Amino acid sequence: MADFAELKIDGKKVECPVIIGTEGEKAFDIGKLRSQSGCITLDPGFANTGSCASAITFLDGEKGILRYRGIPIEQLAEKSTFVETSYLLIHGRLPNHDELDAFSEAFNEHSMIHEDMINFFHAYPSTSHPMAILSAMVCAMSAYYPEFVKERPAQEEIDRIAIQLLSKVRTICAFSYKKSIGEPFVYPRYDLSYVPNFLNMMFSSPTHPYKIVDEVVRALQVLLILHADHEQNCSTSTVRLVGSSHANLYASISAGICALWGPLHGGANQAVIEMLEKIQKDGGNVSKYIAMAKDKNSNFRLMGFGHRVYKNFDPRAKIIKKRADDLLNKLGIHDPLLELAKKMEETALKDEYFIERKLYPNVDFYSGIIYRAIGIPLNMFPVMFAIGRLPGWIAHWKEMIQDPATKIGRPLQIYVGETKKDYTPIEKR
Ligand code: ACO
C-alpha cells in the first residue's frame, strides 16, 4: 500500500500519511488536513474515525474476532479468571504466580471503603438506580483518597488506584444493592476470592448465609471477563476523553459509568429483560414485536440486537448463550424468558430486515438470563457490566495518559445555525 493517501480539494492535493496496525488495519492520518485545506471531516457517531492508536484490544467485526492483548476471548473465557484478565489488560501481559498472588492479595487489602462513605448510601432514596450511586461514589473516592489525585500519577500510583478501584467498586455495588432492599451491609471477607466475595456481600444476610456454588461463580467470572474491554466503545471513549483533560482517574471512570448507563450501551442488558417481560405479558407474540422493530414509525428496537462493529456475530454473545443454557440446566431452572429470547433470535435471523442490516444478538441479549438465574436484580445489570468493564477503562486511561501523542480531546463541528445578525434589545414597555 502507498505511504500516503491523496485527497483533492478545490484542485489542491493533500497528502495524508497511511497508518497500518499490527493486524493490517489501515487508516489515513488527517491531522494536517485542516491546516492544509481548510476542511475538516464529518463523521457523526465517529462511525469511521479512529481516535487513538491502542495496544489493548483487537476486534474484527466482520470475522467476529475479539482478543485482549492478543489472546482470543474464547481462551480467556474458558481458562482465565477476572482478576487475571484484569492484570492482563492493565499490565499488558499475563502475570506469573507471584505477580498474581500479590495482585489478588492487594485486592483484599483494598476491599473496604472508607467508613465515612457509608453515609452516602443512607442519603440516597432507596429507589435510586444503583448506577447513579455508583458513578457518584466513584467520583467521591477522589475526595476520600486525595493522595492519588494527580494530573499525571506515576506508574506505581496508577497501578495502586487500579487495584483500589477494582476492589472497592465491587464493595460499593454490593452495598448499594443492600441499601436498596433495606438489609444491613455485608463487609468483604479476607478468605474469599473476587467473585465469591462479591456474591457473599450481595446475598448473605445475618439470617441466611450465602452458599457459594461453583457453577454460579464460574458463570459470573466468564461474564466479567467477556465485558472487560471492547476498545473504543462509548464509555471507554468517554473515559479517554475526560482523562485527556488530565481529570483524575476516579472522575474519568465516573464519567464512563454514566456513559455506560444508557440503554443503547451497557443499559441494554436491563432493557432486554424488560423487553422480554413485556412481550411475554403481551402473550409472547414474537412476530408482532419483530414487525414493530422493523417499523420506522414505532420507537421499538430489538434490544440486545445490532452492534456498531460486529457485522457477522458477536463472539461474546455466542459464549454467553451457551453459558446461559449450561447454568440453567445445572441449577435446574426453567426460565421462560430464555425460550422467548431464543425464539426472537431465530425469527430475527431469518428475517430479511435483520439479514440486510447485519443485525445479530450482542453481548447483552443473553447476559441478563444468567444474572436472573444468579438472583441479581434487574436494575443491577448495568452495574454488573460496569464491574466487568472497569479493568478496560483503567487500561485505556493508563495508555492514554502515558502516550506522548495524546492531546486533549476536542472534536470540531460544522456550524449550521444562523449567520451573523445584530443584537436587538427588548422594546421598553
Ligand atoms: N432493532 C431494529 N433495528 C435496528 C436495531 C435493532 N436493535 N439496531 C439497528 N437497527 C437498524 C437501524 O434502524 C438502521 O436501519 P436503517 O438503515 O433502515 O436506518 C440500521 O439497523 C443501522 O442501525 P444504526 O442505529 O445506524 O447502527 P449503529 O451502529 O449506530 O447502532 C446500536 C448500534 C446502538 C447497538 C443499535 O444496533 C441498537 O440500538 N441496538 C439495540 C440496543 C443494544 O442492544 N445496545 C447494546 C449494544 S452492545 C453494547 O454496547 C455493550
Side-chain angles (χ1 to χ4, degrees), residues 16-49:
C16 302
V18 169
I19 317 284
I20 302 185
T22 49
E23 291 283 350
E25 297 164 296
K26 297 178 199 96
F28 56 89
D29 179 346
I30 52 143
K32 297 218 163 69
L33 182 63
R34 189 156 63 115
S35 61
Q36 291 185 359
S37 70
C39 282
I40 62 165
T41 53
L42 185 63
D43 183 17
F46 311 120
N48 211 33
T49 295

Side-chain angles (χ1 to χ4, degrees), residues 227 262-263 265-274 303-304 362-365 367-369 371 378 380-386:
H227 285 89
H265 190 17
N269 51 17
Q270 177 176 345
V272 168
I273 297 294
E274 284 166 349
M303 300 311 286
N362 60 47
V363 68
D364 290 317
F365 197 63
S367 59
I369 303 285
Y371 293 139
L378 196 54
M380 284 289 286
F381 291 7
V383 166
M384 299 310 298
F385 196 147

Side-chain angles (χ1 to χ4, degrees), residues 263-266 268 293-294 296 300-308 311 316 353-354 357 359 362-364 385 389:
L264 297 191
H265 190 17
K294 298 190 299 186
K296 299 290 177 205
F300 181 76
R301 270 198 168 195
L302 198 50
M303 300 311 286
F305 251 73
H307 200 277
R308 171 61 62 76
K311 299 297 173 198
R316 303 167 299 173
Y353 174 95
F354 292 88
R357 290 168 181 76
L359 302 171
N362 60 47
V363 68
D364 290 317
F385 196 147
R389 184 53 53 88

Side-chain angles (χ1 to χ4, degrees), residues 58 120 211 218 271 285 309 326 379 395:
F58 173 67
F120 277 96
K211 189 170 173 299
R218 189 61 212 162
N285 189 342
V309 282
D326 290 353
N379 66 357

